[in-house]
Every structure is written in structure tokens, then in C-alpha cells.
Amino acid sequence: MKDVQFGELPYLKHDCRVEACMYSPDGSSFVVALSDGNINVYATSSWERTWILGGHSNRVNSVAYSLKGDRIVSGSDDYTVRIWDVATGDCLFIFIDHTSPVYNVAYSPQGNVIASSDGDGTVRLWELESGDCRSIISELDYIHDMAFSPKGDAIAFGCADCRIRLWDVVAEECLGILIGHTNSVTTIAYSTHGDILVSRDYDSVRVWEVKAEVCRHTLQGDQFTVLSPKGNQIALHKASNGEVELWDIETGACLRRFSGHEGYINGVAYSPQGDQIVSCDSGETIRLWDVETGECRQLTTGCVAKVLFSPKGDYIASVNDDNTVRLWNVGSGSSRKISNNHASSVIGLKYLSKQNQVASCNQEDFTIRIWDAKTGVFNRTLTGHSEYVWNISYSPQEDRLASCSDDWTVRLWDVESGVCLRILHGHTSSVSDVAFSPHGDQIASCSEDTTVRLWNVNTGKCRRVLTGHYDSVNIVTYSPQGNQVASAGSDEIILWDVGTGACQHTLTGHSDTVLRIAYSPNGNQIASASYDKTVRLWDVKTGMCSHIFIGHQGEVTRVVYSPRGDQIASASYNDKTVRLWDTESGECRHTLVGNKMEISAIAYSPRGNLIVSWSETGEAMLWDVATGDCLCGLNHDESAQWGNDLSPHPFVWMSPDVDSFIGGLSNGSVEVWDVIKEGDQYGLHMRWRSTNGQLTVEGACVQDVQGLSDFNKRLLKQRGATGEPSLRLREASKKVMSMASVVSKLKASSSNKEALTRSSTSPEIHSMGCSEQQLEQAETMENLSIHSVVTNG
């Protein structure tokens, strides 16, 4: 396991609450301020603790590095400010003039001045060389935040009286007061050039021109606000919708919205390069966003209070409520730790054969995710929907992807770039299903607003609104020829003429909700599955019911045609059986019994000789269509939670050339399995599974595992692995060399003994000889050493 990367480092565990932490400017050290008054300093090369800076008698609220990284300043509830030497751990200065707890400390960019603020609204500026207090700025009201200008000639204070005060550090006088906020100013930051100041209160974010003292923009955002490293963007969070938004400083326009957080967002940070944003929430997730593409990667942790990037942008540190600081590698080689899973059950899967690509969708994280079907490499996340995504559909040309959502919209995406080409507005309630026409020039969508809409793909305009359903419409599909659309809602199915929009037939007969409909391959029939435990076959031309298939003991939740159209497979979620029906005679050819879990999907293989029944918990059964025999199966995950039986199929077969299928699980992951046949025996081999972002080694044995770094040894032990890893090869070699050295000395000693005995006896030299028993032991050690080299080398 030499050079293996798990994507994270051993966490830093503390006995009390972590109040603040930060990297040194060069990233070589990391400081953690604790509620017990101590400050821990770690060397990032090994993440070993180098110093415990003890001296404060109460909670440490704030810490900051000097620009060179050789000094640390700390402010505490004990009313003092302390300066520490990073190299020696010595306390260089103690400033004792504050009369209340010190909540904020900061170094000037030049490193010659320190600012500290206390609970009484007093700021003190200290000369670092002499330790003297050069300025006392009082009567400011409580100060939530303060920041030096890039040149260090000014400092800004965000105060509880809704004002921002600018102070001239050199002239020691007030430069101006920025008025406009209606609540306490909690965050402030200067732009790179110092000409712009960004501030936030509990309701809004304001962008100020410093010299003119005027507000350029007011943005509505009531939570965390950070300025990009270049100073041209603002990232902010609105608690009302759980989104992170990027705003342009110059224009005041919203550039992009990142959706997906479910819990309350606790922190946001830019990478040093400005190309990524990390955000964390109370729902135990950290999300890493690509600023340009919006691609999201997820790290799963405990409840996170704060996140920050290392100076090089290759690591993220997260402060957790369990008194730990967790360290994540987000640089190269860390894809194993990055989670690309959905937040919950996968409810839609589509396969793109030309590009060998898989798309998946999920309700709760509002995203669509794209994968390479062959390798499992995660390509991108499509973000934009603000509510549940119910289904997706590829165009026949495989250049477009359509999605429908609870946000009342249909979105059209470019497959190659992932760019949203159009947003189709018109529905007045949740959009339940979406489908491309066989020619790819049209999209059909259905909604809880009881309508079906037909859209022009090229213009995005709604061509027709089909009305006739009296309740929510859950399913819509085109006929193979594309001249007809079928929609199902409640206990009826309506067939529509695409050209005129006229209702051709209303198919009634089911006594309960219709859950699935499917056209036969030639388009002459429609099969429907219902809560009434039956499957019905309908003649498309006449609208008459030709067969009623009765046999399931529970609601029928899945129905599919075989590739040749001579057979139908139906599945019941609750009775856990699959039935194969002859479309001509209506006879049930086989009842497939064996699934232990509720069946969430069924599908014929492209050649029609196999059928798979799939559970959202990962149970799969492979059946022979001709005989009805079970060929092989996968065990299910008993700890998984299964989802809504009304969800679209989270299962698809892949290329006709290779028997492979893709399944979506209730834990948000996607799996690809290959069907392997050796002689008469069938087996299933997992090609890949998307990661869930968690390193799970609880109870795993690492006894005698070779090549593990000290980092990884500590990490695996923290995660519950058992056993002792083997010595690394270099260490083992040293041990072998040491043993060989002992053997050599013993042999040399024996030879000297024999030679000296033949000449004359010397008591001094004779005492260094060895017995025959010692020599035998030495030879045994040598043999063991050589064996060890052969075995471990």
C-alpha cells in the first residue's frame, strides 16, 4: 500500500471546543485555538503537534499569523493579547490593557502593527517592536469584525450600531463612516487593491467604494459572505433557499447559483486560486464547487462549523462540533475520498450508448450527475433546478438531455458541455415526467397541474397544451413512431394525436392509480400497470382492452415489453415477484420468485434472453427468460433504506454487445455490473460503484500490511481498523541489515577465537569469543534475515 491516498489525513482530536484555527501564510504550520485557554500548533509536514502554547487563563477567541508566519497573535476571554514565537513556542509579549474579553485580533500586512478589539467596543493598535499601545479607538459599540486595508494604512470596523468606521492607522484619525446597513455589520473585507469594501449584516450585503464612501450595490444575502482572491466576485449564502450564490462586484449581477445543501450552511470559503468554493452545512456535508462549471463534489463528515483552504489549495480543514479538525486532500489523486453520490435514493437513470455515458437524477439534491459508463469516472454535475428532479430523458441524437422538476420547469441541457440551453416555463405545478420524441425535435412533459405540454426543442416554445385529465398526470411517453403521446394519471390513460393535440382515446378500466405505461416495440399496443394489482393490454387503434393479466398479490409497479414484443414482464413492489406474460394468449409463462426485498425495477437484456429484477437496496436477481430459472443473484444491503415505489426506473441495461446493467441505490450511489458466463454458469461482476465519500474500515484487519505511511497508519487506526501494519520496506531492510551485522560480528569473533587458540591464549581477546550455541543462533538469525528479505522484498 505504498503511496496509497485515502483523500484525508488523520483528524486532530481535542478535549475541548475548537474556537478558531488557521494555516500559516506558507502552509507549513497550523494553529488551533481552544476553549480551555490553550493554543495548539501543528507542523503540516507530519501533522504532529509541535507546541502547546499555554498562558491564557480563559477561552482563546481569535488567532492570527504574521505575514512571514513566524509569529502568532491571540486574543482571549482573560482580557489579554499575547504574541508567540512559532519556532520556539515562547510568549514574546503580553498586552494587558483591555478591560473586557478580546474577541478579534489581526496583523497588519506589514507585520509591524497588531489590532485587537474587546467586548466594550474598544480597539487597540499595538507596535510590535516595542509592545507599546499606539492608538486607542473607543466608543465604537460592539465590533463584530475588523480588517486592515491591503497597504496597512487603514483599518475598517464592522459595528453593532449598523455602521462601518474607517480609521487612518498612520494619522490616527477617523477617515469616514459608511452608513446604510439596517442591522449589525458582522463581516467586512477589502478587495485586493483596497478600493472596494464588502460588508454584510443580517439582511444584506453591500459593496462600497472606499474613497467616495458610497454604496455601489446592495445584494440580498443574509448569511456567510466571502470575497474572491481576485476581488471580483462575492460568494454568499441565503438561509431561505440553501443556495450559495456568486455575484459580480462590478455589475452587481448574480453569476451562478449552487444548489444542493440540505442543512443550515455554516461556512463558505474560496480556494487561493479562486477556481473553487467550499461550503459546509449542519447536515454533515461539505461541498466543493467548481466556480466555472458548477460541478459539485461532496465530502461526508460530522456536523461542520467552519471550513478553510490551505494556502496552496490542496487541502481543506473543517472544524467539527465533536472537537476535531478534519483534514481533506482535494488535490490530485484524491478522487477516492470525493463523493459523487446523490444525497439520497437515485430515482432516474438513462444510458447514452454513443458516448457510453450514464445520467442519474435524485430528488433531494436537485442535481443531475453524469458518469463514464465504462470507467465510472465522474464527469460533471448539472445544477440549476431549485427543487426535486423527478426524471431525465436523452434525445435520440444523444446531444441533448431534458430534466423535469418540482420547481415547475423543464430544463434542456447540452450533453457535451453540461450547459443549460433552455428553461421551459409554463406548468403551474410540479413537473412529474419528461420524454423526447423519437425524432428529437419535440419534448413532452406532464404535471400535477393536470396538463401535458409539447415543446419545440429548437425554440423552447410550447407548441400545445393537452388538457383532459382531471387529476395529476404522472407519466408521459411517445409512441415508437412519434405520432402519438400517451399520458397516465389517476386511473385513466389518454392517447393524444401529436399533430393536432386531439384526444384519440381515453383508456378506462383500472380501478386504481395507473403507475406505469409502456408502448410495444411496434407501437400497436400499450401495457399499463396499476395499484389495482392488474396489468392491462390496450389496442392503440381502437382503444379497447385486449387482455387483463391477473395474478399479482400486490400493486403492480413495473411493466416492460420484451425487445421482440411477444412478452411482457410485470413486477409487484410488495409481493416481490416478477411475472412473464404472453402478449398473444395472455398466458402467464413464468412467475419468478426469489427476491427478498421489494422490487423497484425490472428490465430485459437487449437480446431479450435475460431479465433482471432490481432492488434499491442493491439486491439483483438474473433470470433466464425461456425457463424462468434464477441464474444468479446479488445480496442486498440490509442496512439500506428503500424509497418510493412510484419512482421512475433506477435501472437500465447497457450495450447490446455486452450484457451489462446499471442500477441506482437508495444511498445515492450508482453501480455498473457485468454479466459473466463461463460454460453454463452465470455470475455478476461489479465494474464500478460511485463513491460515497466515506472511508469505511471499521473492523478491517491491516495486520502485516506493508508500505503504509505514518499518516495512513494513524488514519486507519482512527477509523477502527485492527492489527498492526508491517514495517515499511525501508525499515525492514534496516532491521535485516542490523541482524546481518550481528551475525557477521559473531562469526568474526568465532574465527578470531580459533586463530588465537592456535597461537597463544589472550584473556582479553578470549573473553570476546562465542560459544557453539551462540554461533548456531547467529546462523539461524542470518537465515531468518535472508528469508525475510525474500518474503518482504
Side-chain angles (χ1 to χ4, degrees), residues 220-223 236-245 247 254 257-265 364-366 385-387:
Q220 296 304 310
D222 56 356
Q223 292 301 319
L236 59 86
H237 160 58
K238 293 183 178 180
S240 57
N241 59 16
E243 292 181 334
V244 177
E245 298 180 350
W247 292 79
C254 182
R257 289 183 173 89
F258 301 142
S259 303
H261 279 291
E262 298 178 28
Y264 181 90
I265 295 183
E364 296 185 11
D365 62 17
F366 314 157
H385 283 295
S386 58
E387 295 292 343

Side-chain angles (χ1 to χ4, degrees), residues 160-173:
D161 63 2
C162 312
R163 300 184 178 190
I164 301 165
R165 287 170 171 80
L166 307 178
W167 183 263
D168 189 309
V169 174
V170 179
E172 299 183 12
E173 62 183 15

